[in-house]
Amino acid sequence: MTVTKDESAREGADDTGDMTGDAGVPGDDYTPSERRLARERYTRARARRATAIAGLSTLVTAAVLYLVVVDAPGWPRTKETFFSAHYAREAFPKVLEGLWLNVRLLLVCGAAVLVLGMLIAVARTLRGPVFFPLRVLAAAYTDFFRGLPLIINLMIVVLGVPALRLQGVTVDPVLLGGTALTLTYSAYVAEVFRAGIESVHPSQRAAARSLGLTNRQALRYVVLPQAVRRQVPPLLNDLVSLQKDTGLVSIGGAVDAVRAADIIVGRSLNYTPYIVAGLVFVALTIPMTRFTDWVTARMDRRRAQGGSL
């Protein structure tokens, strides 16, 4: 059916004609047209229908998965070995007690990683031939520790350093493990910061210099604030990864959440404590992941609207 211009104009008038008074100003006695009410009812009906379909589909999928898992030949043995309620109740308080060590490692190592990573990134972006050795050392540091597997770094620091028996060097596996985590993750974070610094247009630095700021002041007050804001999502992702990898300090004997679960497994030969420890880490990680997604979406919306990052 073809709609003429006059009919289209009349339909628009039906929707908006009552919104304005005699002078074309919105009035207080606005009443929606029947066409608009019909559209709103249709939209609500479609939303309810979509919600019902999604809920039904979810229930059917969950039921199918449950039946497939429960009817599997090895499910009884799997349930006893990995999902024992008795060992879950025994492991949960001990895993939570050990998790406090992981949280402390995350807070301390996270702060150290951000500071060290920023210093390395700034060293890599320094200009002038006099800073060439510093740039080379910073690049060598990032290349080495980004290429070195974290587990090998932990073994070298946590297990190898105490074997040296150096005077005044700690043998605490928590401190040594935290040092290894900081060394590795500072290399990743340094590259994130460097990418942010290089993403700032050179005109920003030139404008700062034209206003009388020195190179150092331009870097501190103009370049770094923009670079950090732009790199918040990848920085949060690195912190999420750091939170999970704090469990690796258990290789040196530190009793964290993973080691607490391992002690119970070694005594009972039941692997439910590992599942409990894994779920605890997942529960701790999910809020950080959702926060990262929210920050990323917010920055994307502001960028799409032309706002400042």
Side-chain angles (χ1 to χ4, degrees):
M1 181 178 65
T2 303
V3 180
T4 64
K5 293 183 178 179
D6 293 340
E7 293 174 347
S8 179
R10 283 195 298 271
E11 290 177 1
D14 290 341
D15 288 344
T16 61
D18 294 335
M19 294 180 61
T20 59
D22 295 337
V25 181
D28 296 334
D29 56 347
Y30 165 67
T31 303
S33 66
E34 185 60 33
R35 186 183 297 274
R36 179 167 183 172
L37 293 174
R39 283 201 301 265
E40 292 177 353
R41 287 195 296 269
Y42 176 73
T43 302
R44 289 194 296 268
R46 282 181 60 88
R48 288 194 297 267
R49 181 172 176 270
T51 302
I53 292 175
L56 180 61
S57 175
T58 302
L59 289 176
V60 171
T61 303
V64 171
L65 291 176
Y66 175 79
L67 293 176
V68 169
V69 171
V70 171
D71 291 341
W75 169 245
R77 183 61 178 170
T78 302
K79 181 180 178 181
E80 178 184 352
T81 304
F82 290 98
F83 303 101
S84 171
H86 169 72
Y87 289 109
R89 288 192 297 268
E90 179 183 353
F92 185 70
K94 297 179 181 178
V95 168
L96 279 184
E97 183 179 353
L99 185 67
W100 175 234
L101 174 60
N102 298 103
V103 173
R104 284 180 292 168
L105 276 172
L106 172 64
L107 296 176
V108 175
C109 293
V113 163
L114 292 176
V115 173
L116 183 58
M118 175 62 77
L119 293 176
I120 297 171
V122 171
R124 290 202 64 179
T125 56
L126 290 175
R127 301 178 179 182
V130 69
F131 296 114
F132 176 75
L134 195 59
R135 291 197 298 269
V136 171
L137 289 175
Y141 178 93
T142 55
D143 290 343
F144 178 79
F145 283 105
R146 289 176 70 198
L148 182 68
L150 176 58
I151 188 67
I152 295 180
N153 187 14
L154 281 163
M155 288 180 177
I156 293 174
V157 176
V158 177
L159 304 179
V161 171
L164 298 175
R165 299 181 181 179
L166 299 176
Q167 187 70 25
V169 177
T170 182
V171 295
D172 187 349
V174 176
L175 295 178
L176 293 175
T179 301
L181 290 172
T182 302
L183 290 174
T184 295
Y185 272 91
S186 60
Y188 289 101
V189 170
E191 287 300 282
V192 173
F193 279 132
R194 185 173 72 91
I197 293 173
E198 293 181 349
S199 70
V200 178
H201 198 273
S203 61
Q204 298 287 319
R205 191 188 297 263
R209 294 300 310 278
S210 68
L211 294 175
L213 275 68
T214 63
N215 276 325
R216 193 165 111 185
Q217 290 172 331
L219 179 66
R220 177 181 177 184
Y221 296 110
V222 178
V223 177
L224 288 183
Q226 297 183 62
V228 172
R229 283 198 299 270
R230 293 179 180 183
Q231 299 303 104
V232 166
L235 287 174
L236 290 175
N237 282 327
D238 284 337
L239 290 180
V240 170
S241 298
L242 175 62
Q243 184 268 319
K244 294 182 295 183
D245 286 341
T246 56
L248 295 177
V249 299
S250 61
I251 65 174
V255 183
D256 66 333
V258 177
R259 183 59 179 167
D262 188 57
I263 293 173
I264 300 176
V265 170
R267 185 180 68 249
S268 64
L269 297 180
N270 187 282
Y271 297 94
T272 302
Y274 285 151
I275 302 297
V276 173
L279 292 177
V280 168
F281 273 100
V282 170
L284 187 63
T285 303
I286 286 178
M288 298 177 64
T289 306
R290 295 287 76 81
F291 178 70
T292 302
D293 294 340
W294 177 81
V295 170
T296 303
R298 180 173 177 268
M299 295 182 68
D300 289 342
R301 286 195 302 269
R302 296 186 63 180
R303 188 181 297 112
Q305 295 170 0
S308 61
L309 296 178

